[in-house]
Amino acid sequence: MCAHRADNDNDNRVNRTTAEAAGQQRCSRPERSEGPAVAVTVALFALFLLAVPLRAQDPVTQLDLRPAPDSALIARIVAEGTTHSRARETFATLLDVIGPRLTGSPALRRANDWTAAQMRAAGADSAWLEPWSLSRSWTRGRAVVRMLAPQERVLVAASVGWTPGTNGPARGDVVWVDTRTPAEFDAKFAGRLRGAWVMVTPAIPVANPEAPLDPPARAKFDSTLRAHYASIAARPGDLVGLERLRRLMSEGVAGVLVDGEKPNHLLVMRGSPANPLLPQVMLAHESYAQVQRLLARGEKVRIEADIANTLLEQPAPQWNTVAEIRGSEHPDEVVLLGAHLDSWDLGTGATDNGAGVVAVMEAARILAATGVRPKRTIRFVLFSGEEQGLLGSSAYARDHASALPHIQAAMMLDNGTGRITGVPLQGRNDLSLLWRRMLDVIPSQGPFTIEARTKGGSDHLPFLNAGVPAYLFIQDWRGYDHTYHSQDDVLDYTWPGDVAQAATVMAAAAWQLANLPVFIPRGTP
Ligand SMILES: [Zn+2]
């Protein structure tokens, strides 16, 4: 997820199938019931209330939680994480050898096995795979998309994920479906779209990143962008999303053309098993905008797409990779570090989310290398199915429901390859002081901001929704807009040094939370 539209604009994200909703999978480890620890926590809670002002916010009563001071060990964590980092070589194998890790693909299973073996070899007490079920799997096949009229040329294009192929070349005129309501649609298009390639959304304004806009031009561009979003915002009664796709399908269209939404012919890939079985072809933004301009001036536009994808209409097992360093005093209380292992398949899933995977694996290696056992268990989870709607983390939360009350905190990395620059408090503004104290012990990795805001769109959400203090770190952007979900999401654009810093910060925070004298009282989700 990013402050950008990236990860959370996929409106079919939440539509999980009955199979997934039925929680098919079972976790392999026994779960704990309600223990005495909670009673103790409540008593301490009453003792330590303090009123501390928060940046740009009303003063919030802070929990006066004090991490156990352990400067020598923190120094070892920093040294291990920064001077002995293995981020670069881990990236090289994950991206250049294993490559794109689309949910449901053999490459993802290979990555599950490899990451488990790596964390075991790095000294985690144990590592295993936890299964969950994907309703249908999909494999991208060859795709050739050409403009036939008014000019002939091959277009940069790719199928939206989980959409079918065209069963050979599908040639059709392009039609701009500009109606909003079902009634308007019926009046203007019913019975007139057979074999057509349709466009339903205006091209998004895109600026050339190589030509930075001066302030007046930036202001003009931003207002155009706002107008674009306002124009596509659904109104009550509008025919949108899956319903519209199903309606178009019933009209026998060849398929839907969608905007790649990035400059430089890059595509923002998306899609999920909830997609209706209708070809959807993502054109590079520059071609999508050209087609729209041609239609607007009354030119006839004709497209041919020849796409061969594979859809398997039966549930397929998928896996989350899990590893842990068992706690010495409260082994059933858990601090969780996570990132999604799956990726889109146009690049090699480098910044989304190879960087998060490498950081979590490095954090495991760093903590194991200290050779000191934490009081609570520190667990490392590499989720799958994130890009299709947080499927793996939702399955994890469902299958470990009875254990969630015993998770001290869950921390995710999923905003690219940049260094950690801060923490969004996700509604637990009463924990700002704790975060300040935990980050103050690693000044060499800072500076850090602690912000009273919430971030969505990634694997922390199933935990947050269950009342667990759950975070998605704020990171340096490092051109994430350029890489995420696109053909350019490759090793060339990773920053191993930044990922080493992120791993170090995650390890230091996890250590302090695992050794915190008290279990953090639950807030109200
Ligand atoms: Zn991601």
Side-chain angles (χ1 to χ4, degrees), residues 6 40 118 134 142 214 328 370 376 382 389 476:
V40 175
Q118 290 294 105
L134 176 70
R142 108 192 156 302
D214 59 26
S328 58
T370 65
R376 295 183 180 86
L382 302 175
D476 193 310

Side-chain angles (χ1 to χ4, degrees), residues 1 7 340 352-353 386-387 414 480:
M1 180 258 163
D7 275 314
H340 69 88
D352 194 8
N353 190 18
E386 193 273 351
E387 298 293 3
D414 186 17
Y480 190 47

Side-chain angles (χ1 to χ4, degrees), residues 401-444:
S402 62
L404 296 183
H406 309 294
I407 295 186
Q408 172 83 310
M411 295 168 280
M412 311 294 171
L413 199 79
D414 186 17
N415 254 178
T417 184
R419 58 191 293 117
I420 289 178
T421 59
V423 178
L425 291 168
Q426 307 282 162
R428 290 297 308 267
N429 298 348
D430 58 337
L431 297 176
S432 170
L433 180 60
L434 170 63
W435 274 103
R436 175 52 59 205
R437 287 172 171 163
M438 291 199 296
L439 296 173
D440 279 354
V441 302
I442 48 172
S444 62

